Amino acid sequence: MSETLSADQELVSDLVACQLVIKQMLDVIDVIAPVEVRDKMASQLRNIDFSTHPAAADPVTRRAIQKAIALIELKFTPQEAAH
C-alpha cells in the first residue's frame, strides 16, 4: 500500500474489515446453525442487564451490543416474516 492513511481512515478501514469478516461468519452460521443456536445468540445479548453490566458505563459498547442484536435478528429473520 503506497498511500498513508490518517488515524480516522485506518479506524474506518478496520471497521469495514470487521464488518466483512462478520458478514462471512453470519453466512456460515446461517448455513450450519440450527434455529435454536441462532435464537440463543440473540437472546444472550438481549439478556445483558445494563443496570449491573460494565458495558453500561460505555455508551459506545452499549450501542454496539444493540446493533449486534439487530444484526443477528435481521440476518436470521425469515424472508416471509420480514414483509
Side-chain angles (χ1 to χ4, degrees):
M1 188 167 157
S2 60
E3 71 181 274
T4 304
L5 300 177
S6 70
D8 285 345
Q9 289 171 318
E10 281 293 341
L11 180 59
V12 170
S13 72
D14 289 349
L15 291 174
V16 171
C18 289
Q19 289 173 328
L20 292 171
V21 170
I22 290 167
K23 170 71 171 98
Q24 294 298 313
M25 293 169 71
L26 287 172
D27 287 346
V28 169
I29 290 168
D30 197 26
V31 171
I32 64 171
V35 173
E36 296 81 22
V37 171
R38 293 176 271 173
D39 289 344
K40 186 175 181 181
M41 290 169 59
S43 176
Q44 286 176 331
L45 292 174
R46 268 195 306 279
N47 287 329
I48 293 174
D49 180 3
F50 284 107
S51 65
T52 59
H53 198 280
D58 178 19
V60 173
T61 301
R62 185 177 184 145
R63 183 65 181 138
I65 292 168
Q66 292 169 342
K67 286 181 178 183
I69 293 167
L71 179 63
I72 291 168
E73 290 177 343
L74 176 65
K75 173 64 182 172
F76 297 122
T77 300
Q79 195 69 347
E80 56 276 1
H83 296 291

